[in-house]
Amino acid sequence: MNEVELNIRLYLTAVIKSWTDRIDCTDKLTPQRFILNAMTELFDSLSEDDIELIRLRYMERLTLSEVASRYLLNERTIRNHTNPTIKQVKEIIKKATEQAQHAREVD
């Protein structure tokens, strides 16, 4: 399981929220809180259909082909609906990782 899939699964199952709440009870923006806030903003901006496509790909682990056949769409359409979100999730993880590295360097 890669980082993107892991973070999507943690977000969609609400595990990341419970971990973040346990790790950080302050208002300090930890990397975990940053990921939770950014993922919440991202997923709140998506349509229910787009969230379902991502859920099928990353929670149910269906291939693009399987998702496309389920919705009677072509793979390119599925890719066009999911790739922008996946790209944003990668960027969120990258920023959180950079934030954590910077925090370690400062300490």
Side-chain angles (χ1 to χ4, degrees):
M1 182 179 318
N2 65 37
E3 248 182 314
V4 171
E5 182 178 351
L6 174 64
N7 279 279
I8 289 172
R9 289 170 143 256
L10 291 174
Y11 181 79
L12 291 177
T13 59
V15 170
I16 196 168
K17 177 160 179 25
S18 66
W19 283 356
T20 301
D21 289 346
R22 273 192 231 131
I23 291 170
D24 177 29
C25 297
T26 68
D27 289 332
K28 183 180 174 189
L29 187 62
T30 61
Q32 296 84 2
R33 178 74 57 196
F34 174 82
I35 289 174
L36 175 62
N37 293 346
M39 295 276 285
T40 299
E41 185 177 325
L42 173 61
F43 277 80
D44 284 351
S45 73
L46 298 176
S47 71
E48 289 298 319
D49 289 340
D50 286 346
I51 292 172
E52 179 63 10
L53 294 176
I54 290 167
R55 190 189 68 71
L56 290 172
R57 287 279 291 134
Y58 292 93
M59 297 294 292
E60 302 295 326
R61 291 186 160 171
L62 298 181
T63 65
L64 280 172
S65 177
E66 291 168 330
V67 175
S69 67
R70 183 177 282 193
Y71 284 94
L72 304 174
L73 299 168
N74 64 43
E75 288 182 35
R76 184 178 192 94
T77 301
I78 302 300
R79 203 175 293 117
N80 288 342
H81 281 273
T82 58
N83 279 1
T85 302
I86 302 312
K87 185 176 180 181
Q88 287 180 286
V89 170
K90 287 178 183 178
E91 189 60 31
I92 289 167
I93 295 166
K94 179 182 174 191
K95 285 180 182 176
T97 302
E98 290 169 355
Q99 180 186 356
Q101 289 172 342
H102 177 71
R104 280 192 290 271
E105 290 170 2
V106 170
D107 289 342

